[in-house]
Amino acid sequence: MSKYHALTEAQAVQYARSLPDLFTPDSELSSHEIGDGNLNLVFHISEPSTGKSIILKQAIPYAKVVGESMPLTLDRARIESEALLIQESLCPDLVPHVYAYEPDLALTVMQDLSDHTIMRKGLIEGNRYPLFAQHIGRFIAHTLFYTSDLGMNQQEKKLRVKQFINPELCKITEDLIFDDPYRDADTNNIPPAIRDAVEVLWKDQELLLEVAILRNGFLTKAQSLLHGDLHTGSIFIKEDSTKVIDPEFAYYGPMGFDIGALFANLLLNFTAQEGWSKDAKSRADYRNYLLGTVKDVWSFFVGEFRSLWALYGVDRVFAGESYQDYYLQQVLRDTWGYTGAKMVRRVHGLAQVADINKLEDPAAKERAQRIALRIGTTLIKQHRQATSIDGLIEIALNNVE
Ligand code: SR1
Ligand code: MG
């Protein structure tokens, strides 16, 4: 019989006490369920007498954001803990440390990052993070390079693909990003004020062709072990530290999907400056900061990726500079396309973003949503012609007044 049960706060304390070497025996521990994501329970366990604390993250057998009508595999906890361990081996300073994984309870014990802020919240508050581009550029370069056929043993890579087969979580992405936003699906949550603009997408044959191409890439291009859900809610940040969390959607897919997820969420905040900025000057300043971050992330990624390839590339056939230029051009094109797709889904699909949804002024919210749809659909339509990151930035700028 399965030993799985969803923990209460009291049971989470009991479990934490059973872990060796973390807390003082018999000391008082406090437990709070603090999960505000779409899927899981998250318990913060602390020992007031020493200030020690940990996080227990537990998968539940359905998607919390929808309820029991959307069952979801507990295997996502295994995927997440195994992905975190691989990422930690590649970028130890950029992910939380995993202390333990308990398969029977679908539970991961990890480092508490309460001294950091969720980046989405930090951006909504108008904060800037000068080291972020460098940190995340290194994260994507190392995780994408060293898990690909460019940077690891190609036979072992095939076994990794098998280890990270993640059909149920991939299906969520296939539906919510590459299908439902482009039809009148029940899962959509279409803001009435922009229904006209949304319905235009459903009939736009040029757009639907490019979405089909991106969907096919997501389904078939097993390039690297992706984080799989690299939005700004999956990043804990403070001025001098960046930690990437929550890789439960990890699977082998196209590199540009992770980079696009990140850029989309920076650009969604860019659109939401319609409401968050107090005047035109601060709006332009913050938007420039966000676009500068996109550009810097891409530059750090490409610089680091090329150095890794030159020093540690495993395939002599791939070693030529022209092939490397070709390869990175394809990654850029995918990045444009997935940035667009990830923007569109957050405007009127299931699971939207606080950057836009928390705007109080309905007119500002509507403007942000329309801008996001324009930028997103333009990037999707033009992704196969992309030649530079500056082009993506230009599209963002051209779609605000
Ligand atoms: C039902 S899960 C909805 C979304 O939450 C996660 O963060 C993923 O982005 C997923 O698409
Ligand atoms: Mg998540």
Side-chain angles (χ1 to χ4, degrees):
M1 210 178 79
S2 162
K3 290 187 197 147
Y4 178 84
H5 57 277
L7 296 180
T8 61
E9 288 182 343
Q11 289 167 333
V13 165
Q14 270 178 350
Y15 180 81
R17 282 192 195 291
S18 74
L19 295 163
D21 305 327
L22 283 173
F23 295 113
T24 318
D26 302 325
S27 71
E28 192 194 321
L29 297 183
S30 75
S31 166
H32 297 287
E33 203 283 307
I34 55 165
D36 62 354
N38 292 326
L39 301 178
N40 305 296
L41 298 176
V42 180
F43 297 93
H44 181 259
I45 311 285
S46 62
E47 183 180 52
S49 60
T50 59
K52 287 182 183 166
S53 57
I54 55 167
I55 291 294
L56 301 185
K57 179 169 176 181
Q58 186 179 35
I60 52 176
Y62 53 88
K64 202 169 72 178
V65 67
V66 177
E68 293 183 39
S69 63
M70 187 173 176
L72 202 53
T73 177
L74 297 175
D75 191 46
R76 66 188 193 270
R78 175 192 67 80
I79 296 268
E80 172 164 345
S81 62
E82 292 180 4
L84 277 173
L85 292 175
I86 291 172
Q87 292 162 351
E88 186 176 14
S89 74
L90 300 171
C91 318
D93 56 322
L94 298 177
V95 291
H97 178 63
V98 173
Y99 296 110
Y101 166 61
E102 172 58 60
D104 288 338
L105 289 173
L107 184 74
T108 309
V109 183
M110 62 181 107
Q111 185 184 355
D112 176 24
L113 297 170
S114 305
D115 58 334
H116 292 59
T117 306
I118 284 291
M119 188 174 186
R120 187 182 305 290
K121 181 167 174 283
L123 294 179
I124 288 172
E125 288 167 0
N127 298 322
R128 298 178 190 218
Y129 301 99
L131 296 179
F132 172 70
Q134 203 173 319
H135 287 163
I136 206 76
R138 176 159 55 84
F139 178 84
I140 51 184
H142 283 245
T143 58
L144 298 180
F145 176 79
Y146 278 117
T147 62
S148 76
D149 287 302
L150 311 175
M152 75 177 287
N153 177 289
Q154 294 170 347
Q155 277 61 55
E156 281 171 28
K157 184 227 163 187
K158 292 172 179 65
L159 297 175
R160 280 269 177 87
V161 173
K162 183 171 153 197
Q163 179 186 351
F164 287 98
I165 294 289
N166 194 357
E168 286 189 33
L169 282 279
C170 284
K171 176 84 168 93
I172 290 178
T173 301
E174 290 149 22
D175 291 346
L176 298 189
I177 300 183
F178 302 111
D179 186 355
D180 299 352
Y182 304 96
R183 65 192 179 92
D184 198 3
D186 289 343
T187 53
N188 288 335
N189 185 5
I190 303 172
I194 62 157
R195 193 167 179 103
D196 61 315
V198 169
E199 288 190 0
V200 167
L201 310 190
W202 301 342
K203 296 179 218 114
D204 183 339
Q205 295 307 319
E206 184 194 349
L207 178 71
L208 299 181
L209 167 64
E210 300 304 323
V211 170
I213 289 168
L214 290 164
R215 176 179 168 89
N216 184 54
F218 182 85
L219 285 162
T220 62
K221 202 171 188 172
Q223 240 173 356
S224 290
L225 178 61
L226 304 188
H227 175 283
D229 198 22
L230 192 53
H231 55 75
T232 47
S234 296
I235 297 170
F236 263 118
I237 197 154
K238 56 181 183 159
E239 200 176 322
D240 57 351
S241 169
T242 303
K243 302 274 187 186
V244 177
I245 62 167
D246 268 9
E248 65 204 313
F249 283 77
Y251 89 112
Y252 262 84
M255 297 183 183
F257 185 79
D258 266 4
I259 311 172
L262 181 63
F263 288 176
N265 282 269
L266 294 171
L267 291 181
L268 287 164
N269 187 277
F270 170 96
T271 71
Q273 293 309 313
E274 287 299 312
W276 293 116
S277 295
K278 61 180 187 323
D279 54 42
K281 177 167 180 332
S282 55
R283 181 175 307 124
D285 279 355
Y286 203 68
R287 282 185 167 155
N288 284 338
Y289 159 69
L290 292 166
L291 295 182
T293 302
V294 168
K295 190 173 164 98
D296 291 348
V297 170
W298 182 257
S299 305
F300 279 114
F301 162 70
V302 170
E304 191 74 11
F305 197 89
R306 281 189 187 276
S307 319
L308 293 174
W309 204 338
L311 289 169
Y312 306 112
V314 297
D315 190 317
R316 81 175 149 263
V317 179
F318 295 157
E321 204 177 316
S322 312
Y323 181 70
Q324 297 185 359
D325 293 344
Y326 161 82
Y327 193 100
L328 283 162
Q329 172 91 310
Q330 300 307 312
V331 174
L332 177 79
R333 290 179 174 169
D334 284 352
T335 296
W336 276 47
Y338 292 120
T339 299
K342 293 283 238 176
M343 290 185 77
V344 170
R345 65 79 60 112
R346 295 292 188 191
V347 175
H348 61 278
L350 182 83
Q352 302 178 358
V353 288
D355 310 58
I356 292 179
N357 282 15
K358 286 222 162 120
L359 290 175
E360 279 175 9
D361 172 9
K365 188 189 273 192
E366 181 181 339
R367 285 201 303 280
Q369 287 163 334
R370 289 183 184 275
I371 293 168
L373 285 184
R374 286 203 300 270
I375 297 173
T377 53
T378 308
L379 289 172
I380 293 171
K381 285 183 184 179
Q382 296 187 13
H383 83 277
R384 285 188 294 150
Q385 285 78 49
T387 56
S388 70
I389 205 64
D390 289 337
L392 179 146
I393 288 169
E394 207 176 299
I395 287 170
L397 283 171
N398 286 345
N399 280 287
V400 289
E401 288 76 45

